[in-house]
Amino acid sequence: MTQSVPPVQPPAAQEPAEQQPQPQPQPVDAAPSSAPQAVDASPSSAPQSADGAPYAPQPGAVPPPPAPGIPYGAVPAPAPVRNNLGLGLVAAFVAAVVAAGVYGAIIGLTKHEIGWAAVGVGFLVGLAAGRLGGRNPVLPVASAVLSLGSVYIGQLVGEAMIVAKDTPLSFSELFFQHFDVLQEGWKAGADPLTFVFFAIAAYVAFSTARKTAL
């Protein structure tokens, strides 16, 4: 006998698995509150106190760097050093001639050698050399030498004024025509104090020329 084969039943269609809920896209905030805000670099954003005044810088705080192209401080250019030997010598010589006349007039009027007058001679000679000649190292030495000559001529001028009062000869005749006689009289009347005045005038002229040089 033939056996009938039971018809093959198709497999039951499997039920689809339970669908998982898909996450819905969230709308993107154009400016989320948690995003960092831009820092304003203007001075108004500096921390301020309750009354609106900016806080004082804390000790040890590093100052901000300067703006590009702006130096910390302008350094003044050094003044040019004056060095004019010729002008200094001429000025010192003129000052020595004028000081000799004034010094001689003081001696002729007072009939005494005065120490402060010798100081004044050295000061005038050194001042003229330093101010107009500058820092040339020759000028202080030249000032000292010229001050010695100024004191010597001034003493001769004073002696000529004193002698002219007691003789019929005038001052100009004694000083220009009998200069050798004045020199002999100066040598006879010179004493140690006379040479002290020489030293004072030379020292003052030397130091003044160095201190007042520009």
Side-chain angles (χ1 to χ4, degrees):
M1 288 180 66
T2 60
Q3 296 180 355
S4 61
V5 179
V8 178
Q9 296 293 332
Q14 298 179 354
E15 294 182 359
E18 185 179 357
Q19 295 182 354
Q20 299 293 331
Q22 298 295 328
Q24 298 298 325
Q26 299 293 331
V28 180
D29 190 5
S33 60
S34 60
Q37 300 295 329
V39 179
D40 186 10
S42 61
S44 61
S45 62
Q48 297 181 352
S49 59
D51 55 356
Y55 288 105
Q58 300 297 326
V62 179
I70 302 178
Y72 281 100
V75 179
V81 178
R82 182 178 299 175
N83 186 357
N84 194 330
L85 178 60
L87 181 59
L89 291 176
V90 172
F93 178 79
V94 173
V97 173
V98 174
V102 176
Y103 183 50
I106 293 175
I107 295 176
L109 295 175
T110 61
K111 297 183 179 181
H112 293 287
E113 297 177 1
I114 303 175
W116 60 262
V119 173
V121 171
F123 178 78
L124 290 177
V125 175
L127 180 64
R131 288 291 185 180
L132 298 180
R135 298 182 181 180
N136 193 292
V138 178
L139 291 175
V141 179
S143 300
V145 175
L146 288 173
S147 65
L148 292 176
S150 181
V151 171
Y152 177 68
I153 297 300
Q155 291 181 357
L156 293 180
V157 169
E159 186 171 351
M161 292 178 62
I162 294 173
V163 174
K165 295 178 182 179
D166 300 330
T167 61
L169 297 176
S170 63
F171 168 80
S172 59
E173 292 175 343
L174 286 171
F175 192 81
F176 296 104
Q177 299 178 13
H178 303 282
F179 191 76
D180 54 343
V181 177
L182 290 177
Q183 289 180 320
E184 293 297 330
W186 178 84
K187 292 179 181 179
D191 56 9
L193 189 59
T194 301
F195 298 99
V196 171
F197 293 153
F198 278 96
I200 292 174
Y203 173 77
V204 172
F206 183 87
S207 59
T208 303
R210 294 186 60 184
K211 293 178 180 179
T212 60
L214 297 178

